[in-house]
């Protein structure tokens, strides 16, 4: 709730880029478990709209870095904002609603995100 989503994505990209440098044969996969409701930005005082846009912009760097991705949407409740779906779109990620999955399906979704 207090970690900037964009910062988490940036750190994930950085970590996977480093892993690719060490072993170019690996297939990097980023699994993001989120409701997509980014509420903390990289810059203090940013509006919620700016924070959401920032997360989607950083997320767009995932496919550019050659990283496969999966977004597991944890959003619950009657009214849904679909922010995780928008993030998945920006990341060109497979999108799955967590409430629809069982443990074995999560593994299958991750494998599907590899597209191999």
């Amino acid at each position: 709730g207090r970690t900037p989503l964009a910062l988490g994505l940036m750190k994930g990209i950085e970590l996977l880029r480093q892993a690719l440098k060490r072993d170019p044969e690996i297939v990097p996969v980023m699994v993001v478990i989120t409701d997509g409701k980014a509420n903390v930005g990289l810059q203090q005082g940013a509006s919620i709209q700016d924070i959401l846009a920032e997360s989607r912009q950083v997320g767009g760097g995932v496919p550019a870095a050659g990283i496969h991705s999966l977004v597991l949407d944890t959003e619950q409740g009657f009214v849904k904002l679909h922010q995780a779906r928008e993030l998945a779109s920006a990341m060109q990620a497979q999108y799955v609603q967590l409430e629809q999955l069982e443990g074995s399906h999560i593994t299958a979704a991750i494998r599907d995100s590899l597209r191999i």
Side-chain angles (χ1 to χ4, degrees):
R2 294 186 185 178
T3 301
L5 180 55
L7 181 60
L9 294 170
M10 289 170 63
K11 293 293 185 180
I13 293 168
E14 178 183 322
L15 178 71
L16 289 169
R17 280 185 175 157
Q18 290 172 0
L20 271 169
K21 284 181 183 177
R22 285 190 303 273
D23 183 0
E25 300 297 317
I26 67 167
V27 178
V29 178
M30 180 184 292
V31 178
V32 179
I33 303 171
T34 183
D35 62 4
K37 296 175 185 170
N39 57 2
V40 178
L42 296 173
Q43 306 294 323
Q44 287 187 332
S47 71
I48 292 297
Q49 290 306 100
D50 288 342
I51 293 169
L52 292 170
E54 174 183 81
S55 296
R56 289 190 296 268
Q57 180 181 12
V58 172
V62 171
I67 299 169
H68 299 270
S69 55
L70 168 68
V71 173
L72 295 176
D73 185 354
T74 62
E75 186 173 38
Q76 297 178 349
F78 182 72
V79 177
K80 296 191 179 194
L81 301 177
H82 305 289
Q83 297 297 331
R85 183 182 301 271
E86 290 184 29
L87 177 62
S89 178
M91 294 173 64
Q92 298 176 18
Q94 181 179 358
Y95 169 83
V96 180
Q97 291 177 317
L98 191 60
E99 64 189 19
Q100 297 174 343
L101 294 180
E102 297 176 5
S104 62
H105 293 118
I106 293 172
T107 303
I110 293 170
R111 283 191 185 123
D112 287 347
S113 74
L114 294 175
R115 297 177 187 101
I116 54 174

